Amino acid sequence: MARLLVLLAAAALSACGLQPLYGGGSRSPVAATLRSVEVAPIDGQVGWLMYNKLKERLGSAGEAPPAYRLEVELDDNITGFGIRGDRAVTRERRTLRARYRLVDLAGGGVVLDATAGSDAGIDVVSSEYATVAAEQTAVERLSEVVADQIVARLGLFAARTAAPR
């Protein structure tokens, strides 16, 4: 009976039309499209972090001439809250937002214009060094999260625009 239920569940899932985004591995149309994206330089220290995270996630670019350029504008903000009676901040929120555009290099048009973002809470402690280190760690984590969001959205774009097999 249990085997029958498993077979029925597998049959139902196969009929739903879902397919893996990276089906075919590194030779898939999605992976090939992601490899054809060059990342434009991004200003600032946080921009440098984001640039490197995006390059890591997009794969081995440079194997072929790029077909797209990814342009990213960052908004990095730290807001203090959790204020004590002596007006000292005890908690901060670091927010990283990215507006990104995917430009088709052949036609020069923007084919994708979207945003991604995340935030992290930071405890403000009596040691200024510890607080600065926590802020830096937070922006490194946020860069990873936002880069993952951007690449996931680029993967969806690539899957929707890939030539039919």
Side-chain angles (χ1 to χ4, degrees):
M1 183 66 173
R3 280 188 174 178
L4 180 62
L5 289 175
V6 169
L7 289 174
L8 287 174
L13 284 176
S14 66
C16 73
L18 291 178
Q19 53 186 326
L21 183 61
Y22 295 102
S26 63
R27 291 177 291 185
S28 72
V30 171
T33 300
L34 292 179
R35 282 193 306 271
S36 72
V37 175
E38 72 174 3
V39 181
I42 308 168
D43 293 334
Q45 177 192 13
V46 179
W48 178 82
L49 283 169
M50 180 64 68
Y51 175 84
N52 287 327
K53 300 293 182 189
L54 288 167
K55 293 285 284 184
E56 288 172 9
R57 284 155 176 77
L58 289 172
S60 52
E63 292 178 358
Y68 300 98
R69 181 179 61 248
L70 180 64
E71 300 172 348
V72 180
E73 297 171 12
L74 295 177
D75 180 24
D76 178 29
N77 190 17
I78 299 176
T79 306
F81 65 97
I83 300 174
R84 294 189 317 222
D86 64 354
R87 297 192 180 270
V89 173
T90 60
R91 191 96 169 122
E92 293 177 338
R93 176 162 309 276
R94 186 158 200 167
T95 305
L96 183 62
R97 301 280 179 253
R99 176 168 185 216
Y100 58 97
R101 288 173 294 284
L102 189 63
V103 178
D104 182 358
L105 294 177
V110 175
V111 294
L112 178 64
D113 188 349
T115 59
S118 189
D119 59 10
I122 303 165
D123 287 327
V124 177
V125 295
S126 60
S127 167
E128 188 174 331
Y129 174 79
T131 301
V132 170
E135 290 171 351
Q136 185 62 30
T137 301
V139 78
E140 290 171 8
R141 282 192 322 263
L142 292 172
S143 296
E144 291 177 2
V145 170
V146 173
D148 287 342
Q149 291 174 6
I150 291 172
V151 172
R153 181 62 181 93
L154 293 178
L156 287 174
F157 166 79
R160 291 180 180 148
T161 59
R165 297 178 219 179

